[in-house]
């Protein structure tokens, strides 16, 4: 008890010794906008900083992203922040989203207009011949938008930490002295626990803001620009204005100047290059040593050769190809697999050439087109063996094709064939198809544009659901779930019985789903599979619509939405702007006059457009009270546009999941959609190529080499560049034959493996053509 009493007395003396007014100043904000940040926010900022430091730099990270992905990310950020603005409170994190958002939008629109005007002027100077010829290249709008966003975020961060204050201090203390004082305060030894450390941190931050981010000058320093600047507020009481230029305005002008300087320098040089490779003949015949031939056929788009090719190769077989010679026949499509798969019969002229003219001399038939490797060999013959080996190697294609959908191929030209090699294997191919469920959206996020729009059309007529809150009035969660699914069923019936737009969408979806199923299946199976596919999408769309309506209704009943008008954010910002961003010279008034009112109007309607949840909730409440007929056409359009923007974000992950699951079921259960299911995965791995070697005894040795995983990024090989080069030297004779090497990861040349190796014996001279397989 004595120790506890002594500890309390010491704590009391410690608290009494502190300047409590100072502590309250730190823990509570002195102005309507809180400039301080809590420990949680600082931890988040530090974690984000570590992420960007550990992953190269921010510019490199952004440049690696796809351009369309950047647009999509900006849209998602807009929608997310607009919803975040209406959450109950962020004061515990030291944030006032109203000020951050309104300041960001104001700086953003100002930066955007300023840079667009600059680019127009710069193009005009190019037209007059006053700047470099490279100025003709127009800037990308995405680049301008990105830079405006960065500038606006930087200004908001500065205002969040340092405000728009101009601190009065002795001019004899320069920045070096102020910095020394700041770091001295930071290093000063003090044993007063956490509160003392908080005091020193606060003092340290104030010194940094006043020294490194202090105003660049006053109106007297720049008399020509004094009427074109925004001024800071006094730090003593937080009201009024000083003669110093605003720190936020100074930072904005600095970034704009850097952008302009960088753009002008970038347009000083340029470079172009290219080449053209003509091709005269699309088919060929090549004689190889020891009685081997290669026939390259062009089947064009009809799956067969024309009469001119047929005549050329038929005469060649009769006049030049010996009876004991062997032929490798190459076509671009593997007709033997595709005809079996589709139940079709193509390549009549090719088949006649093989049977009647080659007469067993075709030892190997090769093709590509299907992006995998498969070899089938004849194992049982009822008729003369016209082709001994069937080989497909399209592993150089842009994406991978499955192999397991062709595992039941057994017969060709009346003979029995067996799968000798499949790369990837049937099991691996089936496993890869699982990526359609897990990776479809990440690989094909452009599909979101179509899928989100389709889902919105399916439930367009069902917005709003004014009585959706009755679902939550049930006593138990089981009753609420039953009520929810009952509401879903009622919505589906309402679509079928009363709607026009949604019903048209449902009918269109059913037709598209039916015709999308490949004709490999019977019409009855196509109808059933198409109906189930369309029903899954319709159910998902209705489910998301009810969830979204429930969320809006809950926010309305808790006074998080529909509590004010369309321009609340703008009106609040103008009030705060006049307090913290003084304008003694009347710059804003002049801008409003010169732009005929466009200056405040653009910001006003931009803030209104940004606050989508409030606009949507206010309009929805009006519809539920008076009906959709009470709104003017423009009001109804605004409502449905706002609903679409959020419903699209909710629906895109679901539509991709449903469609990806459909592809997975089809490819693994029904062996259909093999092109769509694997092209959507965009797999660049499993590369292979085939090499031939004619032995001295005339046998043909075939090797197929493969790399399971290929690098995603490449770089120039300095060893290749430094190696001495001889004129017309073949690359394979060099120590470093490739100009490129992997930028990261292991070298693919160290991972090459042989996936297939077989030998085709030469037909003995002066003997009848053998029909046996080897």
């Amino acid at each position: 008890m004595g120790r506890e009493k002594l500890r309390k007395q010491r704590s009391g003396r410690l608290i009494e010794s502190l300047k409590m007014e100072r502590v309250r100043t730190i823990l509570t904000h002195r102005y309507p906008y809180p400039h301080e940040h809590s420990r949680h926010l600082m931890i988040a900022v530090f974690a984000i900083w570590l992420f960007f430091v550990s992953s190269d730099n921010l510019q490199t990270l952004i440049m690696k992203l796809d351009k369309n992905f950047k647009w999509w990310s900006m849209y998602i950020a807009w929608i997310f922040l607009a919803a975040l603005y209406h959450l109950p409170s962020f004061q515990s994190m030291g944030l006032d989203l109203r000020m951050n958002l309104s300041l960001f939008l104001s700086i953003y629109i100002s930066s955007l207009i300023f840079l667009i005007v600059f680019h127009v002027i710069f193009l005009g100077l190019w037209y007059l011949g006053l700047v470099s010829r490279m100025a003709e290249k127009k800037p990308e709008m995405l680049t301008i938008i990105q830079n405006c966003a960065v500038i606006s975020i930087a200004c908001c961060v500065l205002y969040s930490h340092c405000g728009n204050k101009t601190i009065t201090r002795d001019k004899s203390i320069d920045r070096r002295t102020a910095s020394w004082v700041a770091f001295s305060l930071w290093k000063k030894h003090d044993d007063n626990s956490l509160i003392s450390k908080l005091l020193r941190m606060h003092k340290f931050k104030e010194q940094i803001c006043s020294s490194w981010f202090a105003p660049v000058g006053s109106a007297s320093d720049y008399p020509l620009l004094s009427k074109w600047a925004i001024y800071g507020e006094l730090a003593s009481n937080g009201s009024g204005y000083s003669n110093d230029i605003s720190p936020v305005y100074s930072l904005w002008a600095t970034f704009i100047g850097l952008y302009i300087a960088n753009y002008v320098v970038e347009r000083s040089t340029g470079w172009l290059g290219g080449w053209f490779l003509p091709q005269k003949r699309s088919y060929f015949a090549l004689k190889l040593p020891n009685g081997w031939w290669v026939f390259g056929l062009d089947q064009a788009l009809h799956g067969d050769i024309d009469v001119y090719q047929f005549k050329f190769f038929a005469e060649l077989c009769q006049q030049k190809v010996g009876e004991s010679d062997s032929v490798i026949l190459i076509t671009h499509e593997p007709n033997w697999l595709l005809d079996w798969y589709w139940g079709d019969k193509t390549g009549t002229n090719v088949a006649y050439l093989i049977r009647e003219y080659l007469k067993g001399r075709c030892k190997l038939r090769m093709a590509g087109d299907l992006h995998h490797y498969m070899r089938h060999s004849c194992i049982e013959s009822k008729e003369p063996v016209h082709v001994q080996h069937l080989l497909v190697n399209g592993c150089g294609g842009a994406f991978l094709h499955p192999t397991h959908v062709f595992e039941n191929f057994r017969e060709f030209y009346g003979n029995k064939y067996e799968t000798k090699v499949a790369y990837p294997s049937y099991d691996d191919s089936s496993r890869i198809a699982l990526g359609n469920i897990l990776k479809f959206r990440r690989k094909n996020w452009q599909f979101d544009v179509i899928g989100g729009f389709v889902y919105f059309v399916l439930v367009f007529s069902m917005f709003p659901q004014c009585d959706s809150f009755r679902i939550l009035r049930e006593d138990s969660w089981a009753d609420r779930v039953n009520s929810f699914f009952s509401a879903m069923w009622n919505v589906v019936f309402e679509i079928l019985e009363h709607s026009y737009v949604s019903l048209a969408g449902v009918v269109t979806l059913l037709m598209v789903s039916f015709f999308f199923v490949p004709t490999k299946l019977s019409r009855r199976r196509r109808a059933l599979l198409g109906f189930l596919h369309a029903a899954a999408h319709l159910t998902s769309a209705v489910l998301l619509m009810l969830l979204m309506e429930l969320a809006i209704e809950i926010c309305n009943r808790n006074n998080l939405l529909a509590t004010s008008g369309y321009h609340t954010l703008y009106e609040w910002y103008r009030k705060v702007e006049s307090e913290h961003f003084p304008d003694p010279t009347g710059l804003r008034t002049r801008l409003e006059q010169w732009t005929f009112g466009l200056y405040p109007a653009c910001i006003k309607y931009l803030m209104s457009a940004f606050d989508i949840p409030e606009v949507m909730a206010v309009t929805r409440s009006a519809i539920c009270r008076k009906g959709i007929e009470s709104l003017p056409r423009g009001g109804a359009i605004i409502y449905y546009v706002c609903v679409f923007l959020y419903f699209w974000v909710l629906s895109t992950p679901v539509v991709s999941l449903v469609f990806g699951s459909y592809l997975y079921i089809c490819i693994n259960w029904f062996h259909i959609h093999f092109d769509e299911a694997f092209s959507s995965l965009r797999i660049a791995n499993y590369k292979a190529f085939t090499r031939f070697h004619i032995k001295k005894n005339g046998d043909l040795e075939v090797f197929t080499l493969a790399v399971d995983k290929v690098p995603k990024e490449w770089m120039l090989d300095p060893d290749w560049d430094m190696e001495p080069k001889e004129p017309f030297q073949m690359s394979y004779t060099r120590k470093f034959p490739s100009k490129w090497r992997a930028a990261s990861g292991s070298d693919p040349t160290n991972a090459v493996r042989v996936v297939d190796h077989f030998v085709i014996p030469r037909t003995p001279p002066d003997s009848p053509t053998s029909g046996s397989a080897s």
Side-chain angles (χ1 to χ4, degrees):
M1 293 296 294
R3 291 183 178 179
E4 184 68 21
K5 184 177 180 180
L6 180 61
R7 187 184 63 82
K8 291 182 179 180
Q9 291 176 353
R10 289 180 178 176
S11 300
R13 288 197 298 269
L14 172 62
I15 296 176
E16 291 174 359
S17 64
L18 295 175
K19 297 180 180 179
M20 297 308 298
E21 184 64 28
R22 182 65 169 167
V23 175
R24 284 192 293 269
T25 301
I26 296 174
L27 299 179
T28 60
H29 23 36
R30 295 166 289 177
Y31 308 112
Y33 170 68
H35 301 304
E36 312 305 331
H37 289 254
S38 70
R39 177 171 57 90
H40 304 89
L41 184 61
M42 295 304 296
I43 293 175
V45 172
F46 182 72
I48 295 172
W49 175 78
L50 282 181
F51 167 75
F52 285 122
V53 169
S54 61
S55 59
D56 202 355
N57 54 71
L58 180 58
Q59 177 68 16
T60 304
L61 186 65
I62 293 177
M63 293 301 294
K64 290 180 180 178
L65 298 177
D66 183 74
K67 183 187 298 184
N68 295 325
F69 181 77
K70 296 176 185 177
W71 285 105
W72 181 84
S73 300
M74 288 190 291
Y75 169 74
I76 295 299
W78 167 35
I79 296 298
F80 176 74
L81 289 176
L84 202 66
Y85 161 66
H86 288 280
L87 291 182
S89 175
F90 275 84
Q91 298 301 317
S92 62
M93 296 182 65
L95 288 176
D96 188 343
L97 289 183
R98 291 182 302 176
M99 190 61 197
N100 277 299
L101 294 179
S102 54
L103 182 62
F104 172 84
L105 293 174
S106 300
I107 298 176
Y108 179 80
I109 193 66
S110 303
S111 305
L112 189 63
I113 295 174
F114 190 92
L115 292 183
I116 290 176
V117 171
F118 159 72
H119 284 295
V120 172
I121 295 175
F122 197 72
L123 287 175
L125 294 176
W126 165 82
Y127 183 78
L128 297 175
L130 300 178
V131 295
S132 171
R133 59 183 179 86
M134 286 302 297
E136 179 184 6
K137 183 181 178 182
K138 297 180 180 179
E140 294 186 1
M141 193 63 189
L142 180 60
T143 303
I144 299 177
I145 290 176
Q146 286 177 349
N147 282 278
C148 291
V150 171
I151 293 172
S152 304
I153 292 174
C155 293
C156 290
V157 170
L158 174 63
Y159 185 72
S160 299
H161 284 278
C162 300
N164 196 40
K165 302 175 293 185
T166 57
I167 301 177
T168 304
R169 66 172 186 266
D170 189 357
K171 292 186 177 181
S172 62
I173 302 178
D174 58 4
R175 294 195 175 195
R176 181 179 301 179
T177 305
S179 301
W180 180 85
V181 172
F183 282 98
S184 298
L185 286 170
W186 176 253
K187 296 179 179 179
K188 184 179 179 181
H189 180 72
D190 197 337
D191 296 328
N192 288 340
S193 68
L194 180 61
I195 298 181
S196 301
K197 296 178 181 178
L198 187 62
L199 283 171
R200 295 201 309 275
M201 181 181 295
H202 181 74
K203 186 65 177 178
F204 170 74
K205 195 196 75 170
E206 282 192 346
Q207 291 291 340
I208 292 297
C209 290
S210 62
S211 58
W212 293 104
F213 299 107
V216 297
S218 62
S220 59
D221 298 328
Y222 307 98
L224 295 178
L225 301 177
S226 60
K227 294 184 179 181
W228 301 94
I230 300 297
Y231 293 86
E233 59 180 328
L234 291 176
S236 58
N237 55 9
S239 61
Y241 66 91
S242 69
N243 196 37
D244 289 332
I245 297 175
S246 165
V248 178
Y249 179 83
S250 302
L251 183 65
W252 176 83
T254 301
F255 277 123
I256 290 293
L258 289 174
Y259 174 88
I260 293 175
N262 180 70
Y263 183 83
V264 172
V265 172
E266 278 186 348
R267 291 304 185 273
S268 60
T269 56
W271 180 84
L272 293 174
W275 60 86
F276 178 70
L277 180 64
Q279 182 176 343
K280 297 181 179 179
R281 190 68 62 88
S282 61
Y283 55 92
F284 65 92
L286 179 64
K287 182 175 175 58
L288 302 177
N290 295 334
W292 282 92
W293 290 78
V294 174
F295 286 4
L297 279 59
D298 180 13
Q299 294 179 309
L301 300 177
H302 307 289
D304 203 357
I305 58 176
D306 56 23
V307 293
Y308 302 102
Q309 285 191 70
F310 182 86
K311 180 181 179 182
F312 171 80
F313 287 108
E315 293 177 351
L316 191 66
C317 292
Q318 291 176 334
Q319 299 173 7
K320 295 188 177 181
V321 180
E323 291 295 328
S324 61
D325 287 353
S326 301
V327 176
I328 303 171
L329 193 145
I330 303 175
T331 57
H332 77 279
E333 269 188 350
N335 299 77
W336 58 94
L337 284 180
L338 296 178
D339 288 352
W340 166 84
Y341 180 83
W342 294 108
D344 201 358
K345 188 176 182 180
T346 62
T348 304
N349 292 339
V350 175
Y352 192 77
L353 177 69
I354 293 174
R355 289 183 174 183
E356 302 300 327
Y357 286 88
L358 287 177
K359 296 181 179 179
R361 289 176 288 184
C362 183
K363 304 297 183 181
L364 174 65
R365 186 170 176 186
M366 287 187 64
D369 195 62
L370 293 178
H371 304 162
H372 58 226
Y373 179 83
M374 294 189 74
R375 177 170 68 89
H376 296 84
S377 298
C378 184
I379 57 173
E380 181 182 342
S381 59
K382 298 179 181 178
E383 299 182 6
V385 179
H386 300 289
V387 182
Q388 289 186 6
H389 301 277
L390 303 170
L391 189 150
V392 180
N393 191 351
C395 290
F399 59 90
L400 181 68
H401 269 135
T403 56
H404 66 282
V405 298
F406 302 102
E407 61 181 331
N408 294 325
F409 172 78
R410 296 286 187 274
E411 187 174 346
F412 183 60
Y413 289 160
N415 298 323
K416 298 294 183 181
Y417 285 79
E418 180 184 53
T419 304
K420 296 297 184 181
V421 179
Y423 178 75
S425 65
Y426 295 150
D427 292 338
D428 289 342
S429 177
S430 179
R431 227 174 0 252
I432 291 171
L434 183 63
N436 280 285
I437 298 178
L438 305 176
K439 302 178 182 179
F440 180 85
R441 189 178 185 230
R442 183 165 61 89
K443 299 283 187 179
N444 307 272
W445 61 268
Q446 297 92 336
F447 184 75
D448 290 351
V449 178
I450 301 174
F453 178 78
V454 170
Y455 270 34
F456 179 70
V457 171
L458 292 177
V459 294
F460 173 84
S461 303
M462 298 297 102
F463 285 104
Q465 293 287 314
C466 298
D467 59 342
S468 57
F469 195 75
R470 61 182 173 81
I471 298 174
L472 301 179
R473 292 196 178 100
E474 302 293 339
D475 296 331
S476 64
W477 279 105
D479 294 337
R480 293 170 186 169
V481 172
N482 292 333
S483 178
F484 184 85
F485 284 106
S486 176
M488 287 180 58
W489 188 252
N490 293 335
V491 169
V492 173
F493 270 100
E494 190 173 353
I495 290 175
L496 299 177
E497 293 179 356
H498 301 98
S499 69
Y500 293 98
V501 177
S502 297
L503 179 61
V506 171
V507 173
T508 303
L509 179 63
L510 284 170
M511 295 176 62
V512 171
S513 299
F514 170 77
F515 288 107
F516 183 66
V517 180
T519 56
K520 177 179 174 66
L521 299 181
S522 64
R523 184 171 297 180
R524 182 178 178 181
R525 288 190 174 185
R526 290 176 66 196
L528 178 60
L529 192 58
F531 173 78
L532 293 176
H533 186 198
H537 285 297
L538 178 60
T539 302
S540 301
V542 173
L543 173 68
L544 293 173
M545 183 271 297
L546 284 177
L547 289 176
M548 180 175 170
E549 286 293 297
L550 270 176
I552 297 174
E553 188 65 27
I554 291 173
C555 290
N556 288 350
R557 291 176 179 267
N558 288 275
N559 296 323
L560 299 177
L561 289 173
T563 58
S564 53
Y566 295 130
H567 303 295
T568 307
L569 182 60
Y570 172 76
E571 294 170 356
W572 180 89
Y573 172 71
R574 289 307 295 263
K575 178 182 177 181
V576 177
E577 181 187 44
S578 61
E579 299 177 3
H580 296 278
F581 290 89
D583 184 19
T585 63
L587 177 60
R588 296 190 186 93
T589 304
R590 295 197 304 274
L591 288 176
E592 183 174 358
Q593 294 174 352
W594 294 340
T595 59
F596 302 100
L598 290 178
Y599 158 68
C602 290
I603 298 178
K604 177 180 180 180
Y605 288 102
L606 178 64
M607 290 186 180
S608 179
F610 180 85
D611 196 4
I612 297 175
E614 184 69 16
V615 174
M616 177 174 57
V618 170
T619 312
R620 180 182 182 274
S621 300
I623 295 175
C624 291
R625 288 195 309 268
K626 303 178 182 178
I628 189 69
E629 298 82 7
S630 63
L631 291 180
R633 182 170 298 177
I637 292 175
I638 291 175
Y639 170 71
Y640 284 113
V641 168
C642 294
V643 170
F644 170 76
L645 292 175
Y646 273 95
F647 187 78
W648 185 85
V649 173
L650 291 175
S651 60
T652 48
V654 178
V655 66
S656 296
L657 178 63
V658 172
F659 189 74
S661 302
Y662 165 79
L663 291 179
Y664 170 75
I665 292 173
C666 288
I667 190 66
N668 274 5
W669 293 8
F670 303 102
H671 288 180
I672 58 175
H673 289 306
F674 73 87
D675 206 10
E676 296 87 349
F678 268 64
S679 63
S680 63
L681 296 177
R682 306 185 184 189
I683 299 174
N685 297 323
Y686 298 97
K687 297 301 183 187
F689 64 93
T690 299
R691 287 292 183 92
F692 299 99
H693 171 65
I694 301 176
K695 296 183 176 182
K696 293 182 179 180
N697 62 358
D699 293 349
L700 181 68
E701 193 172 14
V702 184
F703 299 87
T704 298
L705 298 92
V707 177
D708 295 340
K709 188 174 182 179
V710 299
K712 295 183 179 180
E713 295 182 0
W714 298 85
M715 61 179 293
L716 291 174
D717 189 351
D719 295 330
W720 177 90
D721 192 43
M722 296 174 61
E723 184 180 0
K725 302 178 181 65
E726 297 179 4
F728 307 106
Q729 182 184 10
M730 302 300 293
S731 61
Y732 67 87
T733 63
R734 302 182 58 183
K735 183 179 179 181
F736 301 99
S738 177
K739 184 179 180 180
W740 303 93
R741 71 177 184 182
S744 60
S746 60
D747 190 344
T749 57
N750 299 328
V752 177
R753 62 188 182 94
V754 178
V755 295
D756 192 17
H757 175 219
F758 64 101
V759 178
I760 305 176
R762 177 189 178 185
T763 303
D766 302 326
S767 65
T769 304
S770 176
S772 62
S774 60

